[in-house]
Amino acid sequence: MLKPILTITGSDSAGGSGIQADIRTISGLGGRVASVITSITVQNTLGIQEFYDLPAPIIHQQIDAIVNDIAPSIVKIGLIHTKETLQVILQAILRYQPAFVLYDPIIRSSNGEPLMSDDLLSQIRQQLLPLCHLILVNRAEEEQILGPSFHPGSYHSQEIWYLTDRRIHGRTNELASATAYYLSAGHPVAEAMEKARQYVTLKITDDGNLHSRSSELYQNFLDAVESHYQTNSDVNFYADYLNVSSRYLSQVTHRINGKSPKMIIDNRLLQLLQKELLTTLKPIQEIAYENGFSSQAHFTKFFKRQTGMTPTMFRRNNGERRMENGK
């Protein structure tokens, strides 16, 4: 008979990791799983924007409610974001003595953002790791998790398994969840890990994660800019036009080319302005009005902020440069 599993970790609103991924993986394999949420994250496929850490008493009550009723034999621990959360988990392990504790440390997001302070990591090394039976360690994070003075036998864990670099969002999470399932089915640690690896490998082309539409949205944004940059430089206009929030649009453009939507809009407008200044004899005031500026002064302020020189200086300097080159 399968032993019940309790997963203790954060909530991933995009579903690629955290509680959602644990439940999906373990249930999909046929396991019995209950959950305790430690933190609620505001995130999507582009990363975490905000954290809300549940109060320690709420985490404590969640654990008590599950353990008293379901009595899970296997506890899988993931995201621990605060010292208070850590203390609640430690108290629960010491009090209820689960048969197996698996820890998958989440010390940074898939984008590389730190999720733990050095002090919290130190407390985890000293207090939590000795209580775990299996610790999944990313090679790139080995020293942070285990400490610089770690040597085999430092902890009472049955196993420390080393993983390759954590790059694909939720992949290690899925491996840990699958391992918990196979442990619940009675497999020894090494066998459970191997079966979990095989499971993840088979699912690698169909991992169940939501796929971002960021690339398509980015191209749609560029198309919209091309159509409207002369008449509208307001980011909110483009966000409304594309039916997304301005915040999400900003995440997309930063992820793909490292620039804000405003920078992209302004750069496109600047290209046109520079071309007109160099290839036409239109007065600067006329160029300003034709491109949506309220006045020549407004145009000059924008142009100088972008290039470090006024339109007049730009036109003169580049005219002189063309003359020097014989053009």
Side-chain angles (χ1 to χ4, degrees):
M1 181 178 178
L2 293 172
K3 300 172 183 176
I5 300 167
L6 170 62
T7 174
I8 305 174
T9 190
S11 169
D12 173 358
S13 50
S17 184
I19 287 287
Q20 290 86 342
D22 285 347
I23 294 174
R24 181 176 63 245
T25 299
I26 296 170
S27 298
L29 286 165
R32 303 166 57 199
V33 57
S35 63
V36 167
I37 296 175
T38 59
S39 302
I40 296 173
T41 63
V42 177
Q43 67 175 301
N44 51 31
T45 60
L46 300 179
I48 298 173
Q49 286 90 61
E50 298 289 346
F51 261 95
Y52 177 75
D53 297 311
L54 269 64
I58 298 299
I59 299 173
H60 172 78
Q61 290 173 36
Q62 289 183 82
I63 294 175
D64 274 1
I66 294 299
V67 174
N68 288 330
D69 185 43
I70 299 175
S73 298
I74 297 168
V75 174
K76 173 190 174 293
I77 302 169
L79 178 64
I80 301 174
H81 194 233
T82 70
K83 299 174 188 177
E84 292 77 14
T85 297
L86 172 62
Q87 292 306 311
V88 168
I89 293 173
L90 290 172
Q91 292 167 15
I93 293 173
L94 293 170
R95 178 178 179 182
Y96 294 111
Q97 297 289 315
F100 202 99
V101 178
L102 184 161
Y103 181 37
D104 172 26
I106 313 296
I107 70 172
R108 59 172 51 89
S109 71
S110 58
N111 293 335
E113 301 152 337
L115 300 177
M116 285 188 187
S117 66
D118 290 340
D119 189 29
L120 177 56
L121 272 167
S122 176
Q123 291 190 29
I124 286 173
R125 282 196 295 269
Q126 296 171 24
Q127 301 177 57
L128 177 60
L129 297 192
L131 302 179
C132 298
H133 301 87
L134 174 61
I135 307 166
L136 304 185
V137 178
N138 188 293
R139 279 291 186 188
E141 302 167 347
E142 177 181 2
E143 185 170 319
Q144 286 179 280
I145 295 168
L146 301 178
S149 59
F150 168 78
H151 59 85
S154 295
Y155 305 119
H156 302 304
S157 313
Q158 295 175 355
E159 300 279 354
I160 293 177
W161 281 72
Y162 294 97
L163 311 173
T164 55
D165 197 15
R166 186 195 304 262
R167 290 297 182 194
I168 303 176
H169 181 56
R171 187 67 69 214
T172 303
N173 194 139
E174 193 170 53
L175 177 66
S177 301
T179 300
Y181 164 75
Y182 288 112
L183 289 169
S184 77
H187 295 283
V189 172
E191 189 175 316
M193 281 292 300
E194 182 56 32
K195 285 183 174 293
R197 288 183 191 276
Q198 292 173 5
Y199 169 79
V200 170
T201 300
L202 288 173
K203 286 201 69 198
I204 201 160
T205 58
D206 182 23
D207 59 13
N209 287 342
L210 297 177
H211 294 286
S212 170
R213 60 171 178 147
S214 56
S215 295
E216 179 184 355
L217 179 68
Y218 179 71
Q219 187 57 54
N220 291 341
F221 170 63
L222 294 184
D223 292 342
V225 169
E226 197 62 34
S227 299
H228 300 285
Y229 72 94
Q230 286 181 268
T231 58
N232 208 309
S233 62
D234 182 9
V235 174
N236 289 325
F237 166 83
Y238 292 95
D240 291 343
Y241 181 86
L242 297 168
N243 198 27
V244 296
S245 68
S246 56
R247 182 175 187 176
Y248 180 66
L249 180 59
S250 179
Q251 290 173 332
V252 168
T253 60
H254 273 105
R255 169 64 67 87
I256 293 177
N257 77 355
K259 296 179 180 178
S260 69
K262 183 62 174 171
M263 289 174 63
I264 293 172
I265 299 164
D266 287 350
N267 286 348
R268 183 63 187 94
L269 178 58
L270 180 63
Q271 290 173 11
L272 173 67
L273 297 172
Q274 289 175 324
K275 182 179 179 181
E276 290 203 15
L277 286 168
L278 296 178
T279 61
T280 74
L281 297 177
K282 294 178 182 179
I284 291 174
Q285 185 178 58
E286 183 179 344
I287 295 175
Y289 288 144
E290 285 181 350
N291 290 283
F293 292 94
S294 59
S295 65
Q296 182 174 333
H298 181 201
F299 170 39
T300 299
K301 182 178 180 181
F302 167 83
F303 196 89
K304 189 172 183 180
R305 186 172 67 246
Q306 298 294 322
T307 66
M309 63 181 74
T310 66
T312 301
M313 292 169 58
F314 177 82
R315 178 176 264 177
R316 183 176 64 245
N317 291 349
N318 282 276
E320 292 173 352
R321 191 173 296 117
R322 288 199 306 273
M323 291 178 64
E324 290 172 358
N325 293 333
K327 296 182 181 178

